[in-house]
Amino acid sequence: MFDETRSTLSSHAQTTVHGPVESAGTDGTDGFAVASLLCGLLGLVPFSAVFGIRALARIGGSGRSGRGLAITGLVLSVLWLGVGLATVGPKVLAHPAHVLASGGPDYIHVMAAGDCFDSGGDGEHVTRTPCDRPHDEQIFARIDVGTGSETYPGLPAIREPALVTCRIAAAAYFTEGTPPPALEFFAHLPTEGSWIGGVRTAACTFGRPGGKLTAFIRP
């Protein structure tokens, strides 16, 4: 249900987009606090919560500002979580057969942030791989691409927003330090078939086109 093709966007109708990973800049404000707020605004709940907690833990000792930003990020995380439970839960219950039939551990649309995998030949199946062994990609975030409509909006409508959101999430992932060389991010988008089955998220992943990752990419 997900096309894993990683060539340029002009190659064919893609459901995967990618770009270079950039570092997140900081000034006198704690970088984790800024990242928490950005991720909170974009609905990246796990990142917003983790960054917010780390920011509050660091601000007391660093003397940097950003406490209010971190708290706002945490509040937004809670609000997004409530919205997600209210909207996604009924959809999952409405499509249990789809989830059980095509939502096993080796399907990218149900894998979690932190999972690593090798791409499959058909783009629908992937092989879960330990992150300390050579692998193609590592999921670092899942983002909401729902438009509030049950009708599939089409790839053009979700491609650019997903690309922008994954780029921000990738930069926020490296709020301290710089990304490893030659690292790129990918946004794996839902197709019409997976959308009908209830999928409303895209997977943001790290990878090296033409090469393998050999370890878990850490912030």
Side-chain angles (χ1 to χ4, degrees):
M1 294 181 181
F2 285 79
D3 189 336
E4 294 289 326
T5 305
R6 299 185 198 71
S7 56
T8 61
L9 291 178
S10 60
S11 61
H12 65 79
Q14 297 245 9
T15 57
T16 303
V17 290
H18 66 98
V21 178
E22 303 166 352
S23 299
T26 59
D27 47 23
T29 302
D30 186 88
F32 281 113
V34 175
S36 177
L37 177 62
L38 288 175
C39 292
L41 291 172
L42 293 170
L44 305 176
V45 174
F47 282 92
S48 181
V50 171
F51 289 150
I53 292 171
R54 293 187 67 176
L56 292 176
R58 297 194 328 159
I59 285 172
S62 66
R64 289 186 173 185
S65 60
R67 180 179 177 83
L69 298 180
I71 293 175
T72 301
L74 290 172
V75 171
L76 289 171
S77 297
V78 174
L79 293 177
W80 276 112
L81 183 60
V83 171
L85 291 175
T87 58
V88 176
K91 293 176 182 178
V92 173
L93 293 177
H95 302 280
H98 170 81
V99 173
L100 291 175
S102 61
D106 292 342
Y107 285 77
I108 192 172
H109 59 281
V110 295
M111 294 175 71
D115 287 339
C116 300
F117 63 88
D118 283 331
S119 302
D122 62 0
E124 179 180 8
H125 301 79
V126 299
T127 301
R128 190 185 300 269
T129 306
C131 294
D132 59 354
R133 298 179 183 176
H135 54 277
D136 291 334
E137 297 179 51
Q138 171 188 322
I139 301 175
F140 66 89
R142 298 203 68 92
I143 61 172
D144 183 13
V145 293
T147 62
S149 172
E150 289 299 313
T151 303
Y152 185 57
L155 289 176
I158 60 178
R159 179 183 287 121
E160 188 61 26
L163 182 65
V164 171
T165 306
C166 283
R167 177 181 290 114
I168 293 174
Y173 192 84
F174 296 102
T175 188
E176 291 186 338
T178 57
L183 190 70
E184 292 196 4
F185 73 87
F186 300 85
H188 297 273
L189 312 176
T191 61
E192 184 172 9
S194 57
W195 189 278
I196 292 173
V199 178
R200 298 293 186 273
T201 62
C204 301
T205 68
F206 290 133
R208 286 195 179 99
K212 292 273 190 177
L213 299 177
T214 57
F216 184 82
I217 304 297
R218 300 189 179 280

